[in-house]
Amino acid sequence: MAGKLKRLQLHLAQAEAAARLQVVQTEIDARNAEIVVLDSATGSASKLLATDRQVLRKMRHADEELRVGLPPEGRRAAPRSTHNGGH
């Protein structure tokens, strides 16, 4: 009888260990999923930041292109010096 009791206790301890192992495995899986989400969010934010920088550069260059691309009558002409005596 003592042998059967000891065997039952060992099976019970084994089942408890397996249950704890399953809890730990579930926690590991949850952390892996969190890492994937964090990497995705961080990557998206980095891409968005890079895209925002590109957009800002394009906007700044567009302003410059607008100034350069104005027709002659839209540009401010620098005063010309006269060669006929300063008038």
Side-chain angles (χ1 to χ4, degrees), residues 3-81:
K4 285 187 178 184
L5 181 59
K6 183 65 176 174
R7 183 180 216 75
L8 184 60
Q9 288 173 339
L10 288 173
H11 279 292
L12 179 61
Q14 187 179 30
E16 288 176 351
R20 287 194 309 269
L21 181 60
Q22 184 60 45
V23 167
V24 170
Q25 185 61 50
T26 301
E27 187 174 345
I28 288 171
D29 292 344
R31 297 300 173 255
N32 284 336
E34 289 175 6
I35 289 169
V36 168
V37 168
L38 180 62
D39 287 346
S40 175
T42 303
S44 296
S46 295
K47 288 177 189 173
L48 184 60
L49 185 58
T51 301
D52 286 348
R53 285 185 185 138
Q54 289 174 347
V55 168
L56 285 174
R57 273 192 217 107
K58 285 181 183 178
M59 292 172 86
R60 288 181 190 131
H61 290 307
D63 289 346
E64 186 61 32
E65 288 170 7
L66 285 175
R67 275 185 255 143
V68 171
L70 285 175
E73 62 273 2
R75 293 186 194 154
R76 292 184 183 173
R80 295 183 183 186
S81 62

